[in-house]
PDB file of all heavy atoms in Angstrom:
ATOM      1  N   ILE A   1     139.762  50.095 140.145  1.00  0.00           N
ATOM      2  CA  ILE A   1     138.935  49.840 138.968  1.00  0.00           C
ATOM      3  C   ILE A   1     137.593  50.552 139.159  1.00  0.00           C
ATOM      4  O   ILE A   1     137.184  50.840 140.282  1.00  0.00           O
ATOM      5  CB  ILE A   1     138.711  48.339 138.699  1.00  0.00           C
ATOM      6  CG1 ILE A   1     137.983  47.659 139.850  1.00  0.00           C
ATOM      7  CG2 ILE A   1     140.032  47.643 138.416  1.00  0.00           C
ATOM      8  CD1 ILE A   1     137.561  46.223 139.568  1.00  0.00           C
ATOM      9  N   ILE A   2     136.950  50.843 138.034  1.00  0.00           N
ATOM     10  CA  ILE A   2     135.652  51.521 138.072  1.00  0.00           C
ATOM     11  C   ILE A   2     134.561  50.519 138.416  1.00  0.00           C
ATOM     12  O   ILE A   2     134.628  49.347 138.030  1.00  0.00           O
ATOM     13  CB  ILE A   2     135.385  52.207 136.711  1.00  0.00           C
ATOM     14  CG1 ILE A   2     136.358  53.391 136.523  1.00  0.00           C
ATOM     15  CG2 ILE A   2     133.942  52.686 136.595  1.00  0.00           C
ATOM     16  CD1 ILE A   2     136.224  54.112 135.202  1.00  0.00           C
ATOM     17  N   HIS A   3     133.537  50.970 139.132  1.00  0.00           N
ATOM     18  CA  HIS A   3     132.388  50.120 139.442  1.00  0.00           C
ATOM     19  C   HIS A   3     131.863  49.468 138.160  1.00  0.00           C
ATOM     20  O   HIS A   3     131.611  50.155 137.161  1.00  0.00           O
ATOM     21  CB  HIS A   3     131.230  50.942 140.019  1.00  0.00           C
ATOM     22  CG  HIS A   3     131.554  51.751 141.229  1.00  0.00           C
ATOM     23  ND1 HIS A   3     132.309  52.915 141.175  1.00  0.00           N
ATOM     24  CD2 HIS A   3     131.178  51.595 142.527  1.00  0.00           C
ATOM     25  CE1 HIS A   3     132.396  53.430 142.393  1.00  0.00           C
ATOM     26  NE2 HIS A   3     131.725  52.652 143.224  1.00  0.00           N
ATOM     27  N   GLY A   4     131.665  48.146 138.214  1.00  0.00           N
ATOM     28  CA  GLY A   4     131.026  47.497 137.083  1.00  0.00           C
ATOM     29  C   GLY A   4     129.661  48.105 136.786  1.00  0.00           C
ATOM     30  O   GLY A   4     129.250  48.236 135.625  1.00  0.00           O
ATOM     31  N   LEU A   5     128.964  48.521 137.837  1.00  0.00           N
ATOM     32  CA  LEU A   5     127.633  49.091 137.640  1.00  0.00           C
ATOM     33  C   LEU A   5     127.682  50.500 137.055  1.00  0.00           C
ATOM     34  O   LEU A   5     126.674  50.979 136.537  1.00  0.00           O
ATOM     35  CB  LEU A   5     126.838  49.069 138.944  1.00  0.00           C
ATOM     36  CG  LEU A   5     126.292  47.689 139.315  1.00  0.00           C
ATOM     37  CD1 LEU A   5     125.730  47.685 140.729  1.00  0.00           C
ATOM     38  CD2 LEU A   5     125.229  47.232 138.317  1.00  0.00           C
ATOM     39  N   PHE A   6     128.835  51.176 137.117  1.00  0.00           N
ATOM     40  CA  PHE A   6     128.940  52.427 136.359  1.00  0.00           C
ATOM     41  C   PHE A   6     128.866  52.130 134.867  1.00  0.00           C
ATOM     42  O   PHE A   6     128.100  52.750 134.129  1.00  0.00           O
ATOM     43  CB  PHE A   6     130.247  53.177 136.659  1.00  0.00           C
ATOM     44  CG  PHE A   6     130.487  54.278 135.654  1.00  0.00           C
ATOM     45  CD1 PHE A   6     129.856  55.499 135.770  1.00  0.00           C
ATOM     46  CD2 PHE A   6     131.311  54.064 134.536  1.00  0.00           C
ATOM     47  CE1 PHE A   6     130.026  56.497 134.802  1.00  0.00           C
ATOM     48  CE2 PHE A   6     131.488  55.043 133.578  1.00  0.00           C
ATOM     49  CZ  PHE A   6     130.839  56.262 133.714  1.00  0.00           C
ATOM     50  N   SER A   7     129.674  51.171 134.411  1.00  0.00           N
ATOM     51  CA  SER A   7     129.657  50.813 132.989  1.00  0.00           C
ATOM     52  C   SER A   7     128.271  50.324 132.574  1.00  0.00           C
ATOM     53  O   SER A   7     127.773  50.654 131.488  1.00  0.00           O
ATOM     54  CB  SER A   7     130.700  49.731 132.706  1.00  0.00           C
ATOM     55  OG  SER A   7     131.995  50.148 133.116  1.00  0.00           O
ATOM     56  N   PHE A   8     127.630  49.535 133.438  1.00  0.00           N
ATOM     57  CA  PHE A   8     126.291  49.019 133.207  1.00  0.00           C
ATOM     58  C   PHE A   8     125.286  50.163 133.028  1.00  0.00           C
ATOM     59  O   PHE A   8     124.527  50.220 132.051  1.00  0.00           O
ATOM     60  CB  PHE A   8     125.922  48.145 134.407  1.00  0.00           C
ATOM     61  CG  PHE A   8     124.604  47.448 134.358  1.00  0.00           C
ATOM     62  CD1 PHE A   8     124.501  46.154 133.866  1.00  0.00           C
ATOM     63  CD2 PHE A   8     123.459  48.035 134.878  1.00  0.00           C
ATOM     64  CE1 PHE A   8     123.288  45.470 133.866  1.00  0.00           C
ATOM     65  CE2 PHE A   8     122.248  47.370 134.887  1.00  0.00           C
ATOM     66  CZ  PHE A   8     122.154  46.087 134.376  1.00  0.00           C
ATOM     67  N   ASN A   9     125.300  51.100 133.972  1.00  0.00           N
ATOM     68  CA  ASN A   9     124.348  52.209 133.926  1.00  0.00           C
ATOM     69  C   ASN A   9     124.642  53.179 132.780  1.00  0.00           C
ATOM     70  O   ASN A   9     123.713  53.707 132.158  1.00  0.00           O
ATOM     71  CB  ASN A   9     124.363  52.958 135.258  1.00  0.00           C
ATOM     72  CG  ASN A   9     123.725  52.167 136.374  1.00  0.00           C
ATOM     73  OD1 ASN A   9     122.642  51.618 136.223  1.00  0.00           O
ATOM     74  ND2 ASN A   9     124.399  52.097 137.510  1.00  0.00           N
ATOM     75  N   ALA A  10     125.932  53.408 132.494  1.00  0.00           N
ATOM     76  CA  ALA A  10     126.289  54.293 131.389  1.00  0.00           C
ATOM     77  C   ALA A  10     125.840  53.698 130.058  1.00  0.00           C
ATOM     78  O   ALA A  10     125.376  54.422 129.159  1.00  0.00           O
ATOM     79  CB  ALA A  10     127.793  54.547 131.387  1.00  0.00           C
ATOM     80  N   ALA A  11     125.943  52.367 129.921  1.00  0.00           N
ATOM     81  CA  ALA A  11     125.465  51.714 128.701  1.00  0.00           C
ATOM     82  C   ALA A  11     123.948  51.814 128.596  1.00  0.00           C
ATOM     83  O   ALA A  11     123.396  52.067 127.512  1.00  0.00           O
ATOM     84  CB  ALA A  11     125.913  50.253 128.673  1.00  0.00           C
ATOM     85  N   ALA A  12     123.246  51.616 129.712  1.00  0.00           N
ATOM     86  CA  ALA A  12     121.788  51.744 129.708  1.00  0.00           C
ATOM     87  C   ALA A  12     121.374  53.156 129.298  1.00  0.00           C
ATOM     88  O   ALA A  12     120.433  53.341 128.508  1.00  0.00           O
ATOM     89  CB  ALA A  12     121.228  51.403 131.081  1.00  0.00           C
ATOM     90  N   HIS A  13     122.102  54.150 129.815  1.00  0.00           N
ATOM     91  CA  HIS A  13     121.797  55.529 129.434  1.00  0.00           C
ATOM     92  C   HIS A  13     121.996  55.740 127.938  1.00  0.00           C
ATOM     93  O   HIS A  13     121.151  56.325 127.257  1.00  0.00           O
ATOM     94  CB  HIS A  13     122.662  56.524 130.211  1.00  0.00           C
ATOM     95  CG  HIS A  13     122.605  57.902 129.639  1.00  0.00           C
ATOM     96  ND1 HIS A  13     123.680  58.484 129.002  1.00  0.00           N
ATOM     97  CD2 HIS A  13     121.577  58.783 129.543  1.00  0.00           C
ATOM     98  CE1 HIS A  13     123.318  59.678 128.562  1.00  0.00           C
ATOM     99  NE2 HIS A  13     122.055  59.878 128.883  1.00  0.00           N
ATOM    100  N   GLY A  14     123.113  55.245 127.394  1.00  0.00           N
ATOM    101  CA  GLY A  14     123.384  55.419 125.969  1.00  0.00           C
ATOM    102  C   GLY A  14     122.321  54.768 125.097  1.00  0.00           C
ATOM    103  O   GLY A  14     121.870  55.346 124.104  1.00  0.00           O
ATOM    104  N   LEU A  15     121.899  53.556 125.474  1.00  0.00           N
ATOM    105  CA  LEU A  15     120.854  52.878 124.701  1.00  0.00           C
ATOM    106  C   LEU A  15     119.542  53.651 124.745  1.00  0.00           C
ATOM    107  O   LEU A  15     118.875  53.835 123.716  1.00  0.00           O
ATOM    108  CB  LEU A  15     120.625  51.453 125.233  1.00  0.00           C
ATOM    109  CG  LEU A  15     121.307  50.332 124.441  1.00  0.00           C
ATOM    110  CD1 LEU A  15     122.812  50.393 124.586  1.00  0.00           C
ATOM    111  CD2 LEU A  15     120.785  48.968 124.868  1.00  0.00           C
ATOM    112  N   LEU A  16     119.173  54.115 125.931  1.00  0.00           N
ATOM    113  CA  LEU A  16     117.906  54.840 126.038  1.00  0.00           C
ATOM    114  C   LEU A  16     117.963  56.164 125.276  1.00  0.00           C
ATOM    115  O   LEU A  16     116.997  56.559 124.623  1.00  0.00           O
ATOM    116  CB  LEU A  16     117.573  55.090 127.512  1.00  0.00           C
ATOM    117  CG  LEU A  16     116.156  55.596 127.779  1.00  0.00           C
ATOM    118  CD1 LEU A  16     115.104  54.604 127.306  1.00  0.00           C
ATOM    119  CD2 LEU A  16     115.958  55.922 129.253  1.00  0.00           C
ATOM    120  N   GLN A  17     119.128  56.812 125.326  1.00  0.00           N
ATOM    121  CA  GLN A  17     119.291  58.088 124.630  1.00  0.00           C
ATOM    122  C   GLN A  17     119.286  57.899 123.115  1.00  0.00           C
ATOM    123  O   GLN A  17     118.616  58.638 122.388  1.00  0.00           O
ATOM    124  CB  GLN A  17     120.599  58.745 125.077  1.00  0.00           C
ATOM    125  CG  GLN A  17     120.846  60.119 124.481  1.00  0.00           C
ATOM    126  CD  GLN A  17     122.195  60.669 124.903  1.00  0.00           C
ATOM    127  OE1 GLN A  17     123.210  59.981 124.812  1.00  0.00           O
ATOM    128  NE2 GLN A  17     122.213  61.898 125.402  1.00  0.00           N
ATOM    129  N   LYS A  18     119.999  56.893 122.622  1.00  0.00           N
ATOM    130  CA  LYS A  18     120.166  56.723 121.170  1.00  0.00           C
ATOM    131  C   LYS A  18     118.987  56.028 120.504  1.00  0.00           C
ATOM    132  O   LYS A  18     118.692  56.285 119.330  1.00  0.00           O
ATOM    133  CB  LYS A  18     121.446  55.924 120.882  1.00  0.00           C
ATOM    134  CG  LYS A  18     122.726  56.561 121.404  1.00  0.00           C
ATOM    135  CD  LYS A  18     123.022  57.873 120.713  1.00  0.00           C
ATOM    136  CE  LYS A  18     124.366  58.445 121.167  1.00  0.00           C
ATOM    137  NZ  LYS A  18     124.641  59.772 120.557  1.00  0.00           N
ATOM    138  N   LEU A  19     118.337  55.118 121.231  1.00  0.00           N
ATOM    139  CA  LEU A  19     117.253  54.333 120.627  1.00  0.00           C
ATOM    140  C   LEU A  19     115.878  54.666 121.188  1.00  0.00           C
ATOM    141  O   LEU A  19     114.877  54.536 120.479  1.00  0.00           O
ATOM    142  CB  LEU A  19     117.505  52.835 120.820  1.00  0.00           C
ATOM    143  CG  LEU A  19     118.736  52.219 120.161  1.00  0.00           C
ATOM    144  CD1 LEU A  19     118.767  50.719 120.426  1.00  0.00           C
ATOM    145  CD2 LEU A  19     118.752  52.489 118.665  1.00  0.00           C
ATOM    146  N   GLY A  20     115.829  55.029 122.459  1.00  0.00           N
ATOM    147  CA  GLY A  20     114.540  55.181 123.127  1.00  0.00           C
ATOM    148  C   GLY A  20     114.093  56.602 123.357  1.00  0.00           C
ATOM    149  O   GLY A  20     113.169  56.838 124.157  1.00  0.00           O
ATOM    150  N   GLY A  21     114.729  57.573 122.670  1.00  0.00           N
ATOM    151  CA  GLY A  21     114.315  58.965 122.830  1.00  0.00           C
ATOM    152  C   GLY A  21     114.440  59.488 124.240  1.00  0.00           C
ATOM    153  O   GLY A  21     113.776  60.454 124.620  1.00  0.00           O
ATOM    154  N   SER A  22     115.289  58.859 125.052  1.00  0.00           N
ATOM    155  CA  SER A  22     115.496  59.231 126.467  1.00  0.00           C
ATOM    156  C   SER A  22     114.216  59.149 127.293  1.00  0.00           C
ATOM    157  O   SER A  22     114.112  59.760 128.351  1.00  0.00           O
ATOM    158  CB  SER A  22     116.114  60.639 126.595  1.00  0.00           C
ATOM    159  OG  SER A  22     117.443  60.637 126.140  1.00  0.00           O
ATOM    160  N   ASP A  23     113.258  58.377 126.819  1.00  0.00           N
ATOM    161  CA  ASP A  23     111.985  58.219 127.533  1.00  0.00           C
ATOM    162  C   ASP A  23     112.049  56.931 128.354  1.00  0.00           C
ATOM    163  O   ASP A  23     112.162  55.839 127.788  1.00  0.00           O
ATOM    164  CB  ASP A  23     110.840  58.145 126.522  1.00  0.00           C
ATOM    165  CG  ASP A  23     109.474  58.047 127.186  1.00  0.00           C
ATOM    166  OD1 ASP A  23     109.401  57.739 128.389  1.00  0.00           O
ATOM    167  OD2 ASP A  23     108.467  58.270 126.482  1.00  0.00           O
ATOM    168  N   PRO A  24     111.982  57.033 129.687  1.00  0.00           N
ATOM    169  CA  PRO A  24     112.112  55.825 130.508  1.00  0.00           C
ATOM    170  C   PRO A  24     111.025  54.786 130.243  1.00  0.00           C
ATOM    171  O   PRO A  24     111.204  53.608 130.569  1.00  0.00           O
ATOM    172  CB  PRO A  24     112.048  56.348 131.945  1.00  0.00           C
ATOM    173  CG  PRO A  24     111.464  57.718 131.852  1.00  0.00           C
ATOM    174  CD  PRO A  24     111.833  58.248 130.509  1.00  0.00           C
ATOM    175  N   ALA A  25     109.921  55.195 129.630  1.00  0.00           N
ATOM    176  CA  ALA A  25     108.860  54.239 129.305  1.00  0.00           C
ATOM    177  C   ALA A  25     109.238  53.324 128.151  1.00  0.00           C
ATOM    178  O   ALA A  25     108.534  52.341 127.879  1.00  0.00           O
ATOM    179  CB  ALA A  25     107.574  54.987 128.959  1.00  0.00           C
ATOM    180  N   ASN A  26     110.360  53.622 127.474  1.00  0.00           N
ATOM    181  CA  ASN A  26     110.742  52.860 126.280  1.00  0.00           C
ATOM    182  C   ASN A  26     111.768  51.762 126.535  1.00  0.00           C
ATOM    183  O   ASN A  26     112.348  51.230 125.599  1.00  0.00           O
ATOM    184  CB  ASN A  26     111.254  53.812 125.188  1.00  0.00           C
ATOM    185  CG  ASN A  26     110.130  54.610 124.565  1.00  0.00           C
ATOM    186  OD1 ASN A  26     108.974  54.185 124.583  1.00  0.00           O
ATOM    187  ND2 ASN A  26     110.453  55.780 124.019  1.00  0.00           N
ATOM    188  N   ILE A  27     111.980  51.409 127.797  1.00  0.00           N
ATOM    189  CA  ILE A  27     112.870  50.286 128.112  1.00  0.00           C
ATOM    190  C   ILE A  27     112.192  49.409 129.163  1.00  0.00           C
ATOM    191  O   ILE A  27     111.652  49.906 130.153  1.00  0.00           O
ATOM    192  CB  ILE A  27     114.270  50.765 128.568  1.00  0.00           C
ATOM    193  CG1 ILE A  27     115.226  49.580 128.705  1.00  0.00           C
ATOM    194  CG2 ILE A  27     114.206  51.600 129.843  1.00  0.00           C
ATOM    195  CD1 ILE A  27     116.695  49.989 128.797  1.00  0.00           C
ATOM    196  N   LYS A  28     112.192  48.114 128.902  1.00  0.00           N
ATOM    197  CA  LYS A  28     111.491  47.158 129.760  1.00  0.00           C
ATOM    198  C   LYS A  28     112.444  46.258 130.525  1.00  0.00           C
ATOM    199  O   LYS A  28     112.193  45.907 131.679  1.00  0.00           O
ATOM    200  CB  LYS A  28     110.553  46.299 128.904  1.00  0.00           C
ATOM    201  CG  LYS A  28     109.698  45.321 129.680  1.00  0.00           C
ATOM    202  CD  LYS A  28     108.811  44.524 128.727  1.00  0.00           C
ATOM    203  CE  LYS A  28     107.916  43.560 129.509  1.00  0.00           C
ATOM    204  NZ  LYS A  28     107.087  42.746 128.588  1.00  0.00           N
ATOM    205  N   GLU A  29     113.548  45.849 129.865  1.00  0.00           N
ATOM    206  CA  GLU A  29     114.568  45.014 130.505  1.00  0.00           C
ATOM    207  C   GLU A  29     115.935  45.457 130.022  1.00  0.00           C
ATOM    208  O   GLU A  29     116.083  45.968 128.909  1.00  0.00           O
ATOM    209  CB  GLU A  29     114.394  43.524 130.142  1.00  0.00           C
ATOM    210  CG  GLU A  29     113.181  42.860 130.722  1.00  0.00           C
ATOM    211  CD  GLU A  29     113.175  41.350 130.472  1.00  0.00           C
ATOM    212  OE1 GLU A  29     114.177  40.830 129.922  1.00  0.00           O
ATOM    213  OE2 GLU A  29     112.182  40.704 130.833  1.00  0.00           O
ATOM    214  N   PHE A  30     116.935  45.210 130.873  1.00  0.00           N
ATOM    215  CA  PHE A  30     118.315  45.537 130.513  1.00  0.00           C
ATOM    216  C   PHE A  30     119.222  44.572 131.263  1.00  0.00           C
ATOM    217  O   PHE A  30     119.053  44.361 132.468  1.00  0.00           O
ATOM    218  CB  PHE A  30     118.645  46.980 130.905  1.00  0.00           C
ATOM    219  CG  PHE A  30     120.026  47.430 130.506  1.00  0.00           C
ATOM    220  CD1 PHE A  30     120.276  47.895 129.223  1.00  0.00           C
ATOM    221  CD2 PHE A  30     121.072  47.383 131.404  1.00  0.00           C
ATOM    222  CE1 PHE A  30     121.542  48.317 128.842  1.00  0.00           C
ATOM    223  CE2 PHE A  30     122.349  47.792 131.035  1.00  0.00           C
ATOM    224  CZ  PHE A  30     122.577  48.262 129.751  1.00  0.00           C
ATOM    225  N   GLN A  31     120.183  43.971 130.547  1.00  0.00           N
ATOM    226  CA  GLN A  31     121.088  43.040 131.216  1.00  0.00           C
ATOM    227  C   GLN A  31     122.457  43.029 130.549  1.00  0.00           C
ATOM    228  O   GLN A  31     122.601  43.379 129.374  1.00  0.00           O
ATOM    229  CB  GLN A  31     120.510  41.628 131.222  1.00  0.00           C
ATOM    230  CG  GLN A  31     120.555  40.902 129.905  1.00  0.00           C
ATOM    231  CD  GLN A  31     119.987  39.493 130.032  1.00  0.00           C
ATOM    232  OE1 GLN A  31     118.768  39.310 130.038  1.00  0.00           O
ATOM    233  NE2 GLN A  31     120.866  38.509 130.141  1.00  0.00           N
ATOM    234  N   ALA A  32     123.453  42.602 131.327  1.00  0.00           N
ATOM    235  CA  ALA A  32     124.816  42.446 130.804  1.00  0.00           C
ATOM    236  C   ALA A  32     125.620  41.606 131.772  1.00  0.00           C
ATOM    237  O   ALA A  32     125.295  41.481 132.962  1.00  0.00           O
ATOM    238  CB  ALA A  32     125.483  43.804 130.600  1.00  0.00           C
ATOM    239  N   ARG A  33     126.697  41.033 131.244  1.00  0.00           N
ATOM    240  CA  ARG A  33     127.655  40.265 132.037  1.00  0.00           C
ATOM    241  C   ARG A  33     128.917  41.111 132.200  1.00  0.00           C
ATOM    242  O   ARG A  33     129.409  41.707 131.247  1.00  0.00           O
ATOM    243  CB  ARG A  33     127.985  38.949 131.335  1.00  0.00           C
ATOM    244  CG  ARG A  33     128.965  38.063 132.087  1.00  0.00           C
ATOM    245  CD  ARG A  33     129.248  36.793 131.292  1.00  0.00           C
ATOM    246  NE  ARG A  33     128.022  36.005 131.093  1.00  0.00           N
ATOM    247  CZ  ARG A  33     127.817  35.188 130.074  1.00  0.00           C
ATOM    248  NH1 ARG A  33     128.728  35.060 129.125  1.00  0.00           N
ATOM    249  NH2 ARG A  33     126.689  34.517 129.980  1.00  0.00           N
ATOM    250  N   PHE A  34     129.442  41.149 133.405  1.00  0.00           N
ATOM    251  CA  PHE A  34     130.646  41.923 133.691  1.00  0.00           C
ATOM    252  C   PHE A  34     131.854  41.064 133.326  1.00  0.00           C
ATOM    253  O   PHE A  34     132.185  40.107 134.022  1.00  0.00           O
ATOM    254  CB  PHE A  34     130.668  42.350 135.157  1.00  0.00           C
ATOM    255  CG  PHE A  34     129.464  43.167 135.535  1.00  0.00           C
ATOM    256  CD1 PHE A  34     128.341  42.545 136.070  1.00  0.00           C
ATOM    257  CD2 PHE A  34     129.428  44.527 135.338  1.00  0.00           C
ATOM    258  CE1 PHE A  34     127.215  43.278 136.406  1.00  0.00           C
ATOM    259  CE2 PHE A  34     128.309  45.280 135.667  1.00  0.00           C
ATOM    260  CZ  PHE A  34     127.202  44.658 136.205  1.00  0.00           C
ATOM    261  N   ALA A  35     132.509  41.389 132.213  1.00  0.00           N
ATOM    262  CA  ALA A  35     133.488  40.488 131.611  1.00  0.00           C
ATOM    263  C   ALA A  35     134.927  40.796 132.008  1.00  0.00           C
ATOM    264  O   ALA A  35     135.755  39.891 132.105  1.00  0.00           O
ATOM    265  CB  ALA A  35     133.359  40.525 130.081  1.00  0.00           C
ATOM    266  N   SER A  36     135.257  42.064 132.193  1.00  0.00           N
ATOM    267  CA  SER A  36     136.630  42.430 132.575  1.00  0.00           C
ATOM    268  C   SER A  36     136.610  43.831 133.190  1.00  0.00           C
ATOM    269  O   SER A  36     135.686  44.615 132.946  1.00  0.00           O
ATOM    270  CB  SER A  36     137.572  42.384 131.365  1.00  0.00           C
ATOM    271  OG  SER A  36     137.219  43.357 130.416  1.00  0.00           O
ATOM    272  N   PRO A  37     137.621  44.154 133.985  1.00  0.00           N
ATOM    273  CA  PRO A  37     137.597  45.443 134.689  1.00  0.00           C
ATOM    274  C   PRO A  37     137.867  46.630 133.779  1.00  0.00           C
ATOM    275  O   PRO A  37     138.490  46.514 132.718  1.00  0.00           O
ATOM    276  CB  PRO A  37     138.714  45.289 135.727  1.00  0.00           C
ATOM    277  CG  PRO A  37     139.613  44.234 135.189  1.00  0.00           C
ATOM    278  CD  PRO A  37     138.758  43.312 134.386  1.00  0.00           C
ATOM    279  N   VAL A  38     137.374  47.772 134.217  1.00  0.00           N
ATOM    280  CA  VAL A  38     137.604  49.057 133.549  1.00  0.00           C
ATOM    281  C   VAL A  38     138.394  49.932 134.504  1.00  0.00           C
ATOM    282  O   VAL A  38     138.082  49.997 135.708  1.00  0.00           O
ATOM    283  CB  VAL A  38     136.260  49.735 133.186  1.00  0.00           C
ATOM    284  CG1 VAL A  38     136.498  51.107 132.572  1.00  0.00           C
ATOM    285  CG2 VAL A  38     135.455  48.850 132.241  1.00  0.00           C
TER     286      VAL A  38
END
């Protein structure tokens, strides 16, 4: 199975890219629950 933290980090990247202009200053907190394997 793929690392849960890969999915976590890939989602964080997508959010920052789509909403935050890919600027690391535009995200303050990020969280998720690992619900099932990938």
Side-chain angles (χ1 to χ4, degrees):
I1 62 172
I2 291 178
H3 304 74
L5 284 170
F6 167 81
S7 304
F8 183 93
N9 288 313
H13 167 249
L15 260 68
L16 191 61
Q17 183 183 49
K18 301 295 185 183
L19 296 182
S22 291
D23 183 344
N26 287 335
I27 188 165
K28 184 180 182 182
E29 291 188 5
F30 183 83
Q31 74 179 80
R33 181 181 299 153
F34 302 93
S36 65
V38 176

